[in-house]
Amino acid sequence: MIDKKINTINKVGVTTSFYKAIKSFGASLPVLIGVILLIGLFKSYIPSKLISSVFTGEIFRDTFLGSTIGSILAGNPITSYIIGGELLKEGVSLFAVTAFIIAWVTVGIIQLPAEASILGKRFALIRNILSFLFSILVAIVTVLTLQVVL
Amino acid sequence: MNSKKEKNTKKSSKNIYYSISFLILVIILYIVLYFLKSEKIINSLSASKDIFVNIIPVLFLVIFLMGISNYLLTPKKVSKYLGIKSGFKGWFLSALFGIISHGPIYVWYPLLKDLKEHGMRTGLVAVFLYNRAIKIPLLPIMIFYFGVYFVIILYIYMIVASLFQGKIIEIMEEKYIEQRGENA
Protein backbone atom coordinates (compact mmCIF):
# COMPACT_ATOMS: atom_id res chain seq x y z
CA MET A 1 0.00 0.00 0.00
CA ILE A 2 2.74 2.42 1.09
CA ASP A 3 4.94 1.33 -1.82
CA LYS A 4 2.08 2.01 -4.22
CA LYS A 5 1.63 5.49 -2.75
CA ILE A 6 5.37 6.27 -3.02
CA ASN A 7 5.35 5.06 -6.63
CA THR A 8 2.43 7.35 -7.47
CA ILE A 9 4.12 10.32 -5.78
CA ASN A 10 7.36 9.60 -7.68
CA LYS A 11 5.51 9.34 -10.99
CA VAL A 12 3.72 12.64 -10.34
CA GLY A 13 7.06 14.21 -9.33
CA VAL A 14 8.80 13.06 -12.50
CA THR A 15 5.91 14.19 -14.72
CA THR A 16 5.78 17.61 -13.03
CA SER A 17 9.55 18.00 -13.31
CA PHE A 18 9.55 17.27 -17.04
CA TYR A 19 6.47 19.43 -17.57
CA LYS A 20 8.30 22.27 -15.78
CA ALA A 21 11.41 21.69 -17.90
CA ILE A 22 9.44 21.80 -21.16
CA LYS A 23 7.52 24.87 -19.96
CA SER A 24 10.69 26.70 -18.94
CA PHE A 25 12.42 25.78 -22.18
CA GLY A 26 9.31 26.79 -24.15
CA ALA A 27 9.37 30.20 -22.46
CA SER A 28 12.89 30.86 -23.70
CA LEU A 29 12.25 29.35 -27.13
CA PRO A 30 11.02 32.59 -28.81
CA VAL A 31 14.24 34.36 -27.73
CA LEU A 32 16.30 31.41 -28.91
CA ILE A 33 14.61 31.42 -32.34
CA GLY A 34 14.95 35.22 -32.52
CA VAL A 35 18.65 35.09 -31.66
CA ILE A 36 19.32 32.35 -34.22
CA LEU A 37 17.52 34.42 -36.85
CA LEU A 38 19.65 37.42 -35.86
CA ILE A 39 22.80 35.31 -36.17
CA GLY A 40 21.61 34.42 -39.68
CA LEU A 41 21.34 38.13 -40.49
CA PHE A 42 24.71 38.78 -38.87
CA LYS A 43 26.34 36.09 -41.01
CA SER A 44 25.11 37.53 -44.30
CA TYR A 45 25.22 41.26 -43.49
CA ILE A 46 28.36 41.70 -41.39
CA PRO A 47 31.55 41.22 -43.37
CA SER A 48 34.34 39.30 -41.65
CA LYS A 49 36.58 42.34 -42.20
CA LEU A 50 34.40 44.33 -39.84
CA ILE A 51 34.54 41.57 -37.21
CA SER A 52 38.32 41.40 -37.38
CA SER A 53 38.53 45.19 -37.10
CA VAL A 54 36.55 45.06 -33.83
CA PHE A 55 38.13 41.90 -32.43
CA THR A 56 41.71 42.49 -33.43
CA GLY A 57 43.19 39.39 -31.81
CA GLU A 58 44.81 41.44 -29.06
CA ILE A 59 44.24 39.30 -25.94
CA PHE A 60 43.34 41.99 -23.38
CA ARG A 61 41.32 44.17 -25.73
CA ASP A 62 39.30 41.22 -27.07
CA THR A 63 38.71 39.75 -23.62
CA PHE A 64 37.66 43.10 -22.15
CA LEU A 65 35.28 43.68 -25.05
CA GLY A 66 33.81 40.17 -24.69
CA SER A 67 33.27 40.68 -20.95
CA THR A 68 31.67 44.08 -21.45
CA ILE A 69 29.19 42.82 -24.05
CA GLY A 70 28.42 39.72 -21.97
CA SER A 71 27.78 41.86 -18.88
CA ILE A 72 25.26 44.06 -20.65
CA LEU A 73 23.33 41.23 -22.29
CA ALA A 74 21.22 38.84 -20.27
CA GLY A 75 18.99 35.84 -20.71
CA ASN A 76 19.17 32.07 -20.86
CA PRO A 77 22.84 30.97 -20.96
CA ILE A 78 22.03 28.67 -23.88
CA THR A 79 21.63 31.81 -26.00
CA SER A 80 25.12 32.97 -25.05
CA TYR A 81 26.61 29.58 -26.00
CA ILE A 82 24.96 29.71 -29.42
CA ILE A 83 26.01 33.33 -30.04
CA GLY A 84 29.53 32.62 -28.75
CA GLY A 85 29.89 29.42 -30.77
CA GLU A 86 28.72 31.08 -33.98
CA LEU A 87 30.97 34.13 -33.39
CA LEU A 88 33.88 31.76 -32.97
CA LYS A 89 33.11 30.28 -36.40
CA GLU A 90 33.12 33.82 -37.81
CA GLY A 91 36.66 34.34 -36.57
CA VAL A 92 36.19 36.07 -33.22
CA SER A 93 38.95 35.02 -30.82
CA LEU A 94 38.31 32.36 -28.17
CA PHE A 95 39.46 34.88 -25.51
CA ALA A 96 36.60 37.22 -26.39
CA VAL A 97 34.02 34.45 -26.72
CA THR A 98 35.02 32.85 -23.40
CA ALA A 99 34.86 36.17 -21.58
CA PHE A 100 31.50 36.83 -23.23
CA ILE A 101 29.89 33.57 -22.08
CA ILE A 102 31.30 33.86 -18.55
CA ALA A 103 30.17 37.48 -18.09
CA TRP A 104 26.74 36.65 -19.54
CA VAL A 105 26.02 34.33 -16.61
CA THR A 106 28.08 35.81 -13.78
CA VAL A 107 27.51 39.55 -14.22
CA GLY A 108 23.94 40.74 -14.07
CA ILE A 109 23.60 44.45 -14.80
CA ILE A 110 19.91 43.96 -15.60
CA GLN A 111 19.28 41.95 -12.42
CA LEU A 112 21.41 44.33 -10.31
CA PRO A 113 18.46 46.34 -8.88
CA ALA A 114 16.67 43.12 -7.84
CA GLU A 115 19.85 41.64 -6.35
CA ALA A 116 20.63 44.91 -4.53
CA SER A 117 17.17 45.22 -3.03
CA ILE A 118 17.12 41.64 -1.76
CA LEU A 119 20.75 40.91 -0.86
CA GLY A 120 22.01 44.46 -0.20
CA LYS A 121 23.50 47.24 -2.35
CA ARG A 122 27.09 46.79 -1.21
CA PHE A 123 27.03 43.03 -1.72
CA ALA A 124 25.42 43.22 -5.16
CA LEU A 125 27.77 45.93 -6.40
CA ILE A 126 30.97 44.28 -5.13
CA ARG A 127 29.86 40.86 -6.39
CA ASN A 128 29.14 42.15 -9.89
CA ILE A 129 32.38 44.16 -10.15
CA LEU A 130 34.39 41.15 -8.99
CA SER A 131 32.49 38.87 -11.40
CA PHE A 132 33.37 41.21 -14.26
CA LEU A 133 37.08 41.17 -13.33
CA PHE A 134 37.04 37.40 -12.85
CA SER A 135 35.37 36.91 -16.24
CA ILE A 136 38.43 38.53 -17.86
CA LEU A 137 40.89 36.60 -15.73
CA VAL A 138 39.16 33.21 -16.08
CA ALA A 139 38.81 33.65 -19.85
CA ILE A 140 42.51 34.38 -20.30
CA VAL A 141 43.67 31.55 -18.04
CA THR A 142 41.23 29.06 -19.61
CA VAL A 143 42.30 29.75 -23.18
CA LEU A 144 46.01 29.78 -22.29
CA THR A 145 45.62 26.44 -20.46
CA LEU A 146 43.71 25.02 -23.42
CA GLN A 147 46.51 26.08 -25.73
CA VAL A 148 49.02 24.25 -23.54
CA VAL A 149 46.85 21.12 -23.17
CA LEU A 150 45.96 20.73 -26.85
CA MET B 1 3.95 31.83 0.36
CA ASN B 2 1.12 32.35 -2.11
CA SER B 3 2.17 35.92 -2.82
CA LYS B 4 5.71 34.65 -3.55
CA LYS B 5 4.23 32.16 -6.01
CA GLU B 6 2.05 34.86 -7.57
CA LYS B 7 5.06 37.16 -7.91
CA ASN B 8 7.07 34.43 -9.67
CA THR B 9 4.15 33.62 -12.00
CA LYS B 10 3.79 37.31 -12.86
CA LYS B 11 7.52 37.56 -13.57
CA SER B 12 7.53 34.46 -15.76
CA SER B 13 4.51 35.64 -17.80
CA LYS B 14 6.23 39.03 -18.20
CA ASN B 15 9.33 37.18 -19.46
CA ILE B 16 7.25 35.22 -21.99
CA TYR B 17 5.68 38.49 -23.16
CA TYR B 18 9.16 40.01 -23.65
CA SER B 19 10.52 36.97 -25.47
CA ILE B 20 7.56 36.82 -27.88
CA SER B 21 7.86 40.58 -28.51
CA PHE B 22 11.55 40.08 -29.27
CA LEU B 23 10.80 37.34 -31.79
CA ILE B 24 8.10 39.46 -33.47
CA LEU B 25 10.58 42.36 -33.77
CA VAL B 26 13.15 40.09 -35.43
CA ILE B 27 10.51 38.77 -37.87
CA ILE B 28 9.52 42.36 -38.73
CA LEU B 29 13.20 43.14 -39.33
CA TYR B 30 13.40 40.16 -41.69
CA ILE B 31 10.29 41.31 -43.61
CA VAL B 32 11.63 44.87 -43.97
CA LEU B 33 15.06 43.66 -45.10
CA TYR B 34 13.44 41.19 -47.51
CA PHE B 35 11.96 44.09 -49.46
CA LEU B 36 15.33 45.82 -49.56
CA LYS B 37 17.53 42.85 -50.49
CA SER B 38 15.70 39.55 -50.78
CA GLU B 39 18.81 37.55 -51.73
CA LYS B 40 20.62 38.34 -48.49
CA ILE B 41 17.54 37.45 -46.44
CA ILE B 42 17.32 34.06 -48.13
CA ASN B 43 20.99 33.52 -47.22
CA SER B 44 20.26 34.56 -43.65
CA LEU B 45 17.33 32.15 -43.41
CA SER B 46 19.44 29.36 -44.77
CA ALA B 47 22.23 30.12 -42.24
CA SER B 48 19.67 30.15 -39.41
CA LYS B 49 18.15 26.88 -40.63
CA ASP B 50 21.61 25.26 -40.59
CA ILE B 51 22.13 26.31 -36.98
CA PHE B 52 18.70 24.93 -36.00
CA VAL B 53 19.27 21.60 -37.71
CA ASN B 54 22.61 21.23 -35.94
CA ILE B 55 21.43 22.05 -32.45
CA ILE B 56 17.95 20.45 -32.35
CA PRO B 57 19.14 17.01 -31.11
CA VAL B 58 21.29 18.73 -28.47
CA LEU B 59 18.30 20.78 -27.33
CA PHE B 60 16.27 17.62 -26.69
CA LEU B 61 19.07 16.34 -24.49
CA VAL B 62 19.10 19.69 -22.66
CA ILE B 63 15.35 19.44 -21.94
CA PHE B 64 15.82 15.90 -20.64
CA LEU B 65 18.62 16.97 -18.28
CA MET B 66 16.57 19.98 -17.14
CA GLY B 67 13.72 17.60 -16.25
CA ILE B 68 16.03 15.40 -14.20
CA SER B 69 17.55 18.35 -12.36
CA ASN B 70 14.03 19.72 -11.66
CA TYR B 71 13.12 16.38 -10.14
CA LEU B 72 16.22 16.09 -7.98
CA LEU B 73 16.49 19.64 -6.71
CA THR B 74 14.19 22.37 -5.43
CA PRO B 75 14.96 25.53 -3.39
CA LYS B 76 13.24 23.80 -0.45
CA LYS B 77 15.61 20.82 -0.61
CA VAL B 78 18.63 23.14 -0.90
CA SER B 79 17.67 25.19 2.16
CA LYS B 80 17.85 21.98 4.20
CA TYR B 81 21.57 21.65 3.53
CA LEU B 82 22.70 25.23 3.01
CA GLY B 83 22.55 26.72 6.48
CA ILE B 84 25.17 28.31 8.70
CA LYS B 85 27.87 25.94 7.54
CA SER B 86 31.41 27.23 7.62
CA GLY B 87 34.76 25.68 6.90
CA PHE B 88 35.37 23.40 3.96
CA LYS B 89 31.89 21.81 4.10
CA GLY B 90 30.16 25.20 3.82
CA TRP B 91 32.22 26.31 0.81
CA PHE B 92 31.86 22.92 -0.84
CA LEU B 93 28.07 22.75 -0.37
CA SER B 94 27.58 26.34 -1.57
CA ALA B 95 29.56 25.61 -4.74
CA LEU B 96 27.80 22.29 -5.28
CA PHE B 97 24.28 23.67 -4.83
CA GLY B 98 25.16 26.65 -7.01
CA ILE B 99 26.15 24.23 -9.76
CA ILE B 100 23.09 21.99 -9.51
CA SER B 101 20.56 24.76 -8.87
CA HIS B 102 18.38 25.66 -11.83
CA GLY B 103 15.62 28.01 -12.93
CA PRO B 104 15.60 31.81 -13.01
CA ILE B 105 17.74 33.63 -10.46
CA TYR B 106 14.79 35.52 -8.94
CA VAL B 107 13.47 32.21 -7.58
CA TRP B 108 16.66 31.86 -5.51
CA TYR B 109 17.09 35.46 -4.22
CA PRO B 110 14.42 35.14 -1.48
CA LEU B 111 15.89 31.83 -0.28
CA LEU B 112 19.40 33.32 -0.13
CA LYS B 113 18.09 36.37 1.73
CA ASP B 114 16.42 34.06 4.21
CA LEU B 115 19.56 31.99 4.70
CA LYS B 116 21.65 35.15 5.05
CA GLU B 117 19.34 36.44 7.74
CA HIS B 118 19.71 33.09 9.49
CA GLY B 119 23.49 33.39 9.53
CA MET B 120 24.73 32.11 6.16
CA ARG B 121 28.08 33.75 5.43
CA THR B 122 28.16 36.44 2.70
CA GLY B 123 31.04 34.66 1.00
CA LEU B 124 28.97 31.50 0.70
CA VAL B 125 26.10 33.44 -0.92
CA ALA B 126 28.59 34.80 -3.47
CA VAL B 127 29.99 31.32 -4.11
CA PHE B 128 26.48 29.96 -4.66
CA LEU B 129 25.59 32.76 -7.09
CA TYR B 130 28.85 32.46 -9.08
CA ASN B 131 28.52 28.71 -9.46
CA ARG B 132 25.02 29.12 -10.88
CA ALA B 133 26.94 29.99 -14.06
CA ILE B 134 27.84 26.31 -14.36
CA LYS B 135 24.81 24.65 -15.91
CA ILE B 136 24.92 20.86 -15.99
CA PRO B 137 21.80 20.46 -18.20
CA LEU B 138 23.36 22.82 -20.77
CA LEU B 139 26.59 20.82 -20.96
CA PRO B 140 25.64 19.11 -24.28
CA ILE B 141 25.22 22.40 -26.12
CA MET B 142 28.41 23.84 -24.62
CA ILE B 143 30.40 20.74 -25.57
CA PHE B 144 28.82 20.84 -29.04
CA TYR B 145 30.22 24.34 -29.64
CA PHE B 146 33.45 24.41 -27.62
CA GLY B 147 34.58 20.84 -26.99
CA VAL B 148 35.02 18.72 -23.86
CA TYR B 149 38.48 19.99 -22.90
CA PHE B 150 37.41 23.62 -23.03
CA VAL B 151 34.36 22.95 -20.84
CA ILE B 152 36.34 20.97 -18.23
CA ILE B 153 39.10 23.59 -17.99
CA LEU B 154 36.63 26.49 -17.91
CA TYR B 155 34.49 24.92 -15.18
CA ILE B 156 37.50 24.11 -12.99
CA TYR B 157 38.70 27.72 -13.21
CA MET B 158 35.21 29.04 -12.58
CA ILE B 159 34.85 27.01 -9.39
CA VAL B 160 38.25 28.26 -8.22
CA ALA B 161 37.28 31.84 -9.13
CA SER B 162 34.03 31.50 -7.20
CA LEU B 163 35.92 30.55 -4.03
CA PHE B 164 38.33 33.50 -4.46
CA GLN B 165 35.39 35.81 -5.05
CA GLY B 166 33.60 34.55 -1.95
CA LYS B 167 36.71 35.01 0.20
CA ILE B 168 37.40 38.52 -1.17
CA ILE B 169 33.80 39.59 -0.50
CA GLU B 170 34.01 38.24 3.03
CA ILE B 171 37.28 40.07 3.75
CA MET B 172 35.83 43.31 2.35
CA GLU B 173 32.69 42.85 4.43
CA GLU B 174 34.72 42.25 7.62
CA LYS B 175 36.83 45.37 6.97
CA TYR B 176 33.69 47.42 6.36
CA ILE B 177 32.12 46.24 9.62
CA GLU B 178 35.40 46.96 11.49
CA GLN B 179 35.56 50.47 10.03
CA ARG B 180 31.96 51.15 10.94
CA GLY B 181 32.67 49.95 14.47
CA GLU B 182 35.66 52.30 14.77
CA ASN B 183 33.68 55.26 13.46
CA ALA B 184 30.75 54.63 15.79
Side-chain angles (χ1 to χ4, degrees):
Chain A
M1 184 72 176
I2 294 172
D3 279 351
K4 230 181 181 182
K5 235 180 184 177
I6 290 172
N7 270 344
T8 320
I9 292 169
N10 278 345
K11 268 182 198 167
V12 171
V14 171
T15 317
T16 317
S17 305
F18 277 92
Y19 171 73
K20 264 188 191 169
I22 293 168
K23 203 176 149 192
S24 136
F25 188 79
S28 54
L29 200 60
V31 173
L32 205 67
I33 297 170
V35 166
I36 292 174
L37 286 171
L38 280 181
I39 294 171
L41 281 182
F42 181 87
K43 283 193 167 191
S44 32
Y45 276 87
I46 311 287
S48 44
K49 257 189 183 175
L50 184 70
I51 299 171
S52 53
S53 71
V54 178
F55 293 95
T56 53
E58 207 182 299
I59 295 180
F60 288 103
R61 191 192 132 101
D62 279 9
T63 315
F64 182 79
L65 214 59
S67 286
T68 309
I69 300 169
S71 303
I72 298 163
L73 299 174
N76 194 324
I78 206 168
T79 317
S80 76
Y81 301 157
I82 295 171
I83 297 174
E86 296 300 326
L87 284 177
L88 202 62
K89 285 181 195 165
E90 294 301 309
V92 174
S93 76
L94 189 56
F95 288 101
V97 170
T98 311
F100 170 78
I101 59 173
I102 301 171
W104 180 293
V105 272
T106 56
V107 186
I109 290 180
I110 290 172
Q111 298 106 308
L112 193 65
E115 189 180 335
S117 72
I118 298 172
L119 297 172
K121 255 186 215 164
R122 258 179 61 81
F123 173 81
L125 209 64
I126 294 172
R127 198 191 71 78
N128 278 282
I129 292 170
L130 283 175
S131 294
F132 177 78
L133 297 174
F134 272 118
S135 71
I136 297 173
L137 198 69
V138 172
I140 293 174
V141 179
T142 301
V143 180
L144 290 179
T145 309
L146 194 72
Q147 284 172 353
V148 173
V149 171
L150 295 180
Chain B
M1 192 73 178
N2 272 342
S3 75
K4 245 185 209 175
K5 239 184 185 177
E6 265 172 37
K7 244 184 185 176
N8 285 342
T9 320
K10 256 187 194 173
K11 268 186 184 165
S12 84
S13 47
K14 219 178 183 183
N15 280 345
I16 294 170
Y17 169 76
Y18 284 136
S19 38
I20 291 173
S21 311
F22 172 72
L23 179 61
I24 291 171
L25 274 176
V26 176
I27 292 170
I28 291 171
L29 184 66
Y30 258 81
I31 294 168
V32 172
L33 289 174
Y34 179 80
F35 287 113
L36 296 175
K37 234 176 189 177
S38 60
E39 219 175 84
K40 276 203 166 179
I41 283 301
I42 289 163
N43 286 343
S44 303
L45 278 173
S46 150
S48 304
K49 187 205 83 193
D50 289 344
I51 299 172
F52 268 120
V53 170
N54 281 328
I55 64 167
I56 276 175
V58 190
L59 292 181
F60 278 112
L61 191 58
V62 167
I63 295 172
F64 176 71
L65 291 174
M66 278 169 78
I68 290 178
S69 92
N70 275 347
Y71 179 66
L72 296 176
L73 204 83
T74 59
K76 222 178 173 183
K77 279 182 192 165
V78 170
S79 65
K80 252 190 200 173
Y81 298 98
L82 214 62
I84 326 165
K85 302 233 168 38
S86 55
F88 175 75
K89 204 177 174 188
W91 294 94
F92 173 76
L93 284 179
S94 305
L96 180 74
F97 284 122
I99 292 169
I100 53 180
S101 69
H102 54 83
I105 187 70
Y106 55 78
V107 176
W108 294 90
Y109 281 148
L111 167 80
L112 291 173
K113 188 191 178 193
D114 222 44
L115 289 171
K116 219 178 145 196
E117 281 167 2
H118 284 89
M120 186 180 177
R121 290 161 63 174
T122 324
L124 300 189
V125 178
V127 170
F128 177 90
L129 286 174
Y130 197 95
N131 279 295
R132 273 185 49 82
I134 297 173
K135 306 274 182 199
I136 303 291
L138 302 186
L139 269 178
I141 194 106
M142 212 179 181
I143 291 171
F144 171 79
Y145 274 114
F146 305 104
V148 181
Y149 289 114
F150 174 86
V151 176
I152 294 171
I153 294 168
L154 175 68
Y155 280 178
I156 291 171
Y157 282 128
M158 283 181 81
I159 294 168
V160 174
S162 79
L163 299 174
F164 272 109
Q165 193 193 57
K167 204 70 207 161
I168 293 169
I169 288 181
E170 235 175 51
I171 291 168
M172 287 175 89
E173 196 82 358
E174 276 166 20
K175 278 202 172 157
Y176 175 71
I177 292 167
E178 253 176 46
Q179 261 180 359
R180 258 186 31 179
E182 276 171 19
N183 290 339

